[in-house]
């Protein structure tokens, strides 16, 4: 049913109730949606949305956040070939990762310590939300 490592499967069996194990295993087989967000302060969400739609991309809002979308009809590679991606106006990021800064709701002028900064998706999102004002310290644990 799955190509997951045997040790991982055994661990899942110990932490996931048996009545939920099948649905958890099935979740690893489902394709993940491509989610992206605004990545530059000067980028205009409505313009990015319009540009992508004019190129045949079907997108819809991914969150309450006005600058996050889900790609509905093409793959990640097609999105990476667009000008808005190449110009670093959008950033591909997991939806679960986007929710953390949204819950934190950082404001300009605040001091934030990101203790789980690798690879930097949440950190750059926090910085964008802080509008370049305040202190943001990013820490990446590199061993042990």
């Amino acid at each position: 049913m799955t190509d997951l490592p045997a040790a991982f499967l055994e661990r899942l069996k110990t932490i996931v109730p048996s009545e939920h194990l099948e649905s958890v295993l099935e979740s690893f087989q489902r394709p993940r949606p491509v989610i992206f967000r605004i990545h530059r302060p000067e980028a205009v969400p409505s313009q990015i949305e319009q540009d992508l739609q004019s190129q045949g991309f079907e997108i819809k809002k991914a969150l309450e956040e006005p600058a996050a979308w889900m790609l509905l009809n093409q793959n990640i590679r097609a999105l990476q070939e667009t000008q808005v991606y190449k110009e670093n106006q959008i950033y591909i990021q997991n939806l679960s990762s986007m929710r953390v800064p949204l819950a934190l709701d950082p404001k300009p002028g605040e001091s934030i310590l990101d203790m789980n900064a690798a690879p930097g998706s949440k950190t750059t999102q926090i910085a964008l939300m802080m509008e370049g004002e305040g202190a943001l310290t990013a820490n990446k644990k590199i061993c042990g």
Side-chain angles (χ1 to χ4, degrees):
M1 174 181 196
T2 179
D3 294 330
L4 297 171
F8 181 72
L9 288 171
E10 289 306 312
R11 178 71 175 132
L12 277 178
K13 290 176 185 176
T14 66
I15 61 175
V16 175
S18 59
E19 65 270 17
H20 298 295
L21 185 59
E22 185 176 334
S23 66
V24 169
L25 291 174
E26 287 174 3
S27 75
F28 286 100
Q29 302 301 313
R30 283 186 229 125
R32 300 285 178 245
V34 176
I35 309 292
F36 61 96
R37 64 170 171 82
I38 293 292
H39 191 56
R40 300 180 61 86
E42 67 275 6
V44 179
S46 61
Q47 184 63 52
I48 288 174
E49 190 172 20
Q50 183 179 13
D51 288 351
L52 291 174
Q53 288 173 338
S54 72
Q55 295 173 55
F57 288 88
E58 291 179 27
I59 57 177
K60 74 173 190 174
K61 295 291 184 191
L63 293 170
E64 305 77 38
E65 170 70 21
W69 296 274
M70 180 183 306
L71 182 60
L72 301 175
N73 69 328
Q74 296 195 42
N75 61 30
I76 193 170
R77 175 51 100 198
L79 187 61
Q80 291 170 326
E81 294 298 322
T82 65
Q83 200 61 30
V84 292
Y85 181 83
K86 291 177 181 180
E87 291 174 354
N88 204 27
Q89 293 184 55
I90 62 172
Y91 187 87
I92 298 167
Q93 182 176 347
N94 287 331
L95 189 58
S96 59
S97 179
M98 272 188 215
R99 290 187 182 279
V100 174
L102 293 174
L104 178 64
D105 193 25
K107 303 285 189 243
E110 292 183 335
S111 295
I112 308 259
L113 173 61
D114 183 350
M115 294 292 291
N116 192 25
S121 300
K122 292 182 297 293
T123 306
T124 60
Q125 186 179 358
I126 291 168
L128 187 64
M129 294 171 77
M130 292 175 69
E131 300 174 6
E133 297 179 22
L136 174 56
T137 303
N139 183 51
K140 174 187 173 190
K141 184 176 180 182
I142 56 173
C143 61

